[in-house]
């Protein structure tokens, strides 16, 4: 899992916890349709921090709360990167 995937997973996770549909989140956040779609479809390489702030505000979470997830731990990102590369012995690599 790369950082972009982790962002999308976290947005989906928080939407589920807050009982918000993606269309409602988009509307509440005020993020443009194009930016919102690019974020969720993984087509963004980077986007403005203000877009993430708007999404966090709509989700009623702080930036710290948004990133307070195992999805953003180095270990999870490394594990997913090794698995994506077909490296079955990723556990040895982390030591």
């Amino acid at each position: 899992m790369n950082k972009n995937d982790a962002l999308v997973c976290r947005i989906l996770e928080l939407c589920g916890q807050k009982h918000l549909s993606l269309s409602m989140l988009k509307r509440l956040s005020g993020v443009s349709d194009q930016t919102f779609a690019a974020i969720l479809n993984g087509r963004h390489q980077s986007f403005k921090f203000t877009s993430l702030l708007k999404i966090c505000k709509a989700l009623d979470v702080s930036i710290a709360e948004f990133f307070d997830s195992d999805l953003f731990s180095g270990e999870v990102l490394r594990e997913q990167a090794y698995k994506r590369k077909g490296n079955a012995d990723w556990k040895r690599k982390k030591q």
Side-chain angles (χ1 to χ4, degrees):
M1 178 178 310
N2 63 35
K3 291 176 279 187
N4 293 340
D5 295 338
L7 280 171
V8 173
C9 286
R10 185 62 172 154
I11 289 169
L12 294 173
E13 178 180 69
L14 289 168
C15 279
Q17 290 174 8
K18 304 287 182 170
H19 306 288
L20 277 177
S21 67
L22 290 174
S23 61
M24 180 62 82
L25 176 62
K26 181 176 60 109
R27 195 168 349 123
L28 291 172
S29 69
V31 174
S32 74
D33 292 345
Q34 183 178 2
T35 299
F36 198 78
I39 292 168
L40 292 179
N41 293 323
R43 292 191 318 258
H44 69 289
Q45 295 302 313
S46 64
F47 58 94
K48 293 182 181 179
F49 185 69
T50 54
S51 296
L52 184 56
L53 284 174
K54 289 177 181 181
I55 290 170
C56 286
K57 184 176 180 181
L59 289 166
D60 195 29
V61 297
S62 68
I63 290 290
E65 289 171 312
F66 184 86
F67 286 107
D68 185 21
S69 169
D70 288 343
L71 291 169
F72 300 105
S73 76
E75 182 61 31
V76 170
L77 295 173
R78 272 193 304 279
E79 175 185 341
Q80 293 300 322
Y82 283 121
K83 287 180 178 180
R84 190 173 55 248
K85 291 179 182 177
N87 192 335
D89 62 347
W90 65 270
K91 288 186 179 183
R92 276 190 266 156
K93 301 265 186 193
K94 70 178 183 175
Q95 297 172 347

